[in-house]
Amino acid sequence: MSDTIFDKIIDKSIAADILYEDDLALAFADINPQAPVHFLVIPKKRIATINDISKDDRELVGHLYWVAAQLADQKGFASEGFRTVMNCNEFGGQSVYHIHLHVLAGKPLGWPPYSDELKESLE
Ligand code: AMP
């Protein structure tokens, strides 16, 4: 599996607005925010997609959600609510092949992602 831009953020060879870091995970602001608050939580271990999560990675993936919840609490949007999304492969809209949890907050968010409008535009 080849390097992605997130490896460079992990090893600090490119800059990011880092919000949290520990031995297992890193959280940083998304460079192209899709909500008033939009950051990513990633494992330091390189796992390409959800399909590549092994049995041994289960705790690590749970840790990403824990980090998201800690930051939601710290930044004051936990009770208001937020969205977490992990895209997988082409149809999921994944563009960086190192798993990452999107955390979106700050305004009510739309649902569902496969809306009637989108269905019609794809027909
Ligand atoms: P996805 O499309 O689910 O794979 O999400 C990849 C996300 O990474 C997108 O929301 C991008 O805006 C974000 N992204 C790409 N490069 C960077 C970067 N250098 N720093 C922060 N976020 C990035």
Side-chain angles (χ1 to χ4, degrees), residues 4 16 37 63 68 97 107 109:
T4 72
V37 176
H63 183 65
Y97 282 78
K107 286 282 177 199
L109 301 165

Side-chain angles (χ1 to χ4, degrees), residues 16-35:
D17 178 8
I18 293 175
L19 309 174
Y20 176 89
E21 180 166 16
D22 64 23
D23 289 351
L24 299 173
L26 191 65
F28 51 93
D30 196 293
I31 206 168
N32 182 24
Q34 300 302 314

